[in-house]
Amino acid sequence: MADALPLVIAGAGIGGLTAALALSRAGRRTIVLEQADRLAEVGAGIQLSPNASRILDALDLGLALDRHAVTPDWLKVHSVRAGGEVLRMPLGRGIEQRYGAPYRVIHRADLLDALATAAQTDRNVEIRLGTRLRRAEAAPGRISIEARTPTGPATIEAAALIGADGVRSRVRTHVLGGPLARYSGRTAYRAVVPIGQIPAEHRRSTGLWMGPHGHLVHYPLHGGETFNLVAVIESDWEDDGWSVPATRREVLDAFASWPQAARDLLALPQDWTKWALCGVDPDFAWVGGHVAVLGDAAHAMLPFAAQGGAMAIEDAAVLAAHLADPAADIAMALAAYEAERKPRAKAVVELARTNGRIYHLPDALAFLRDAGMRIAGADRLAARQDWIWRWRPPAETLSKSGGAKSAGGLRRSG
Ligand SMILES: Cc1cc2nc3c(=O)[nH]c(=O)nc-3n(C[C@H](O)[C@H](O)[C@H](O)COP(=O)(O)OP(=O)(O)OC[C@H]3O[C@@H](n4cnc5c(N)ncnc54)[C@H](O)[C@@H]3O)c2cc1C
């Protein structure tokens, strides 16, 4: 009986763990395979807009997140051409009141810790660390998954396989025959510094600096104790590997023509990490029979709308909604998930691309952009986000108590 089998999720990142928790609420048992020996996220922040926060709150993670998160007072938009701020939009209590969920900024490790802690105490979820999915084959009414575990190869029988295995997803490329990830021509430098080094005017805000062929984003983390910097440039990628250490000199050289106030921020971190920003064209079949992909595996996007993680979280909620009926035909439920999610994911991928073009306009056009932004004002900027932020998961999806508090958990497999 395929339905007595667990669902297997490949990848214990933001998308995979949210999916496991949402599926538990839907009464589904999952095994989460994670290739890493321990659950860890990159040392950087993430912005969680109300559409993502709403789902995490519904999964009862709000308190855990709010121990570490900050809700910034403002989004302050600066222009290199204008030499300073052109616009500010409120992000604080007004946004929470309007959307029923806060705009949070949080260190990725704190987000992952909240998700993992909930998953480890959920009897419907089992996380197997050090376990890498190798391949999967369809059998009648089920999927047979081959994995490399710390003690050798293993085969796991599942009712379905959910690939939440990130931008270089093996489920996408090897199981579904989907496309390879492609370098976007954009590189991101990331660093976190103590907040004490940051001028007071930036400490409670998300900041965006738009410049010719680059931009800078910053916001507070760790309840306001540290400060996250992400500096993006257009460049080729010539390093081995997709994330490598970078120096202060390299970053300052890349932003040599920027205003002193921005360069003062960029001069703070001694060490940076440099990331190749890669994308996945979402126009491929996300589902094949009892296999589906979600999150970056399905639609890795430029981070210029701050929505990649949020879309992974939304995917998880919708997937769970389609699998909530125990009598549901799994292949049909997965097909319905794809049909529901793909148009929205594609629209957000496109918005992120457009944002990149707007942020990086050369000086001549930046003048018009800045003037237009000033005239349009904060309300227009807020209206541009509204269709993303007001999104709600299907009714009742996450309302059940699920499999809380029991012996479920985390183990190295083998
Ligand atoms: C610079 C930058 C800034 C960003 N800022 C934001 C932001 O502010 N807001 C936002 O919402 N998003 C943001 N994003 C996007 C966000 O980080 C991603 O969309 C999100 O992390 C995707 O989550 P995921 O779970 O799909 O994939 P991942 O987080 O990549 O997780 C995939 C997991 O799968 C595991 N795995 C891979 N292959 C296998 C295998 N074969 N077997 C078992 N396990 C496997 C990996 O080890 C990993 O743990 C940003 C991205 C970047 C690069």
Side-chain angles (χ1 to χ4, degrees):
M1 268 293 288
D3 284 352
L5 294 171
L7 307 182
V8 164
I9 298 172
I14 296 167
L17 289 176
T18 308
L21 293 171
L23 284 162
S24 172
R25 293 281 174 103
R28 297 277 181 176
R29 197 161 58 85
T30 58
I31 298 176
V32 186
L33 312 181
E34 171 53 52
Q35 64 184 0
D37 286 338
R38 60 187 188 88
L39 293 176
E41 256 287 356
V42 298
I46 186 164
Q47 306 185 63
L48 294 172
S49 49
N51 48 316
S53 273
R54 183 178 295 120
I55 296 168
L56 298 173
D57 287 351
L59 290 169
D60 297 325
L61 299 174
L63 278 179
L65 297 177
D66 286 335
R67 273 200 283 277
H68 309 284
V70 178
T71 292
D73 297 333
W74 301 98
L75 165 63
K76 294 181 181 172
V77 182
H78 307 74
S79 156
V80 168
R81 166 77 181 58
E85 191 178 320
V86 288
L87 184 69
R88 62 173 67 183
M89 180 179 99
L91 282 183
R93 287 184 55 80
I95 291 292
E96 185 167 359
Q97 277 163 3
R98 176 161 182 195
Y99 291 101
Y103 196 105
R104 296 183 171 105
V105 291
I106 188 166
H107 196 281
R108 284 163 182 269
D110 294 332
L111 170 59
L112 202 76
D113 188 53
L115 289 165
T117 301
Q120 284 159 22
T121 52
D122 189 317
R123 68 181 144 80
N124 285 333
V125 182
E126 181 192 332
I127 303 174
R128 297 188 187 175
L129 297 178
T131 303
R132 177 171 162 76
L133 174 134
R134 305 273 309 156
R135 57 181 68 83
E137 265 181 34
R142 67 175 64 190
I143 294 288
S144 191
I145 295 157
E146 284 178 41
R148 193 208 59 207
T149 80
T151 53
T155 303
I156 306 160
E157 301 294 326
L161 168 63
I162 311 301
D165 47 347
V167 60
R168 271 167 278 282
S169 165
R170 209 173 160 84
V171 176
R172 180 184 70 243
T173 55
H174 285 62
V175 183
L176 292 175
L180 293 171
R182 287 176 50 183
Y183 178 57
S184 65
R186 311 285 200 282
T187 296
Y189 296 92
R190 289 157 136 179
V192 176
V193 295
I195 199 109
Q197 301 180 5
I198 301 298
E201 76 255 32
H202 296 312
R203 289 188 187 173
R204 293 280 324 164
S205 301
T206 289
L208 164 67
W209 299 68
M210 308 175 293
H213 312 297
H215 70 275
L216 166 66
V217 174
H218 51 69
Y219 46 84
L221 297 176
H222 293 122
E225 287 172 19
T226 63
F227 197 75
N228 186 61
L229 293 154
V230 187
V232 175
I233 57 163
E234 296 171 10
S235 76
D236 295 332
W237 185 266
E238 283 155 8
D239 294 282
D240 293 333
W242 296 110
S243 84
V244 295
T247 61
R248 172 159 55 188
R249 185 74 273 145
E250 181 179 342
V251 176
L252 286 175
D253 285 351
F255 291 85
S257 62
W258 277 45
Q260 195 55 44
R263 283 176 52 79
D264 286 347
L265 293 173
L266 295 168
L268 292 173
Q270 181 70 37
D271 300 306
W272 293 78
T273 305
K274 178 173 153 183
W275 296 80
L277 297 179
C278 294
V280 172
D281 180 353
D283 241 339
F284 70 100
W286 294 5
V287 171
H290 287 213
V291 180
V293 281
L294 63 74
D296 276 11
H299 46 62
M301 62 184 75
L302 289 167
F304 307 161
Q307 283 297 319
M311 289 303 116
I313 290 167
E314 286 187 11
D315 288 347
V318 172
L319 180 77
H322 285 289
L323 287 166
D325 177 358
D329 176 282
I330 287 186
M332 283 174 68
L334 296 184
Y337 148 78
E338 177 180 4
E340 183 170 341
R341 289 302 298 162
K342 197 181 257 178
R344 181 166 164 88
K346 283 170 68 172
V348 176
V349 166
E350 196 44 49
L351 177 78
R353 252 191 231 127
T354 305
N355 283 354
R357 282 194 289 270
I358 294 171
Y359 297 171
H360 293 192
L361 284 176
D363 269 354
L365 294 169
F367 172 75
L368 295 173
R369 175 200 62 206
D370 297 348
M373 274 188 152
R374 281 197 173 107
I375 293 165
D379 286 350
R380 180 79 192 88
L381 187 59
R384 232 176 140 247
Q385 325 295 328
D386 184 67
W387 66 276
I388 299 182
W389 293 2
R390 70 164 185 255
W391 185 91
R392 286 172 186 278
E396 293 177 31
T397 313
L398 307 170
S399 60
K400 290 189 218 160
S401 61
K405 297 283 179 255
S406 170
L410 180 73
R411 69 180 175 95
R412 280 171 63 92
S413 76

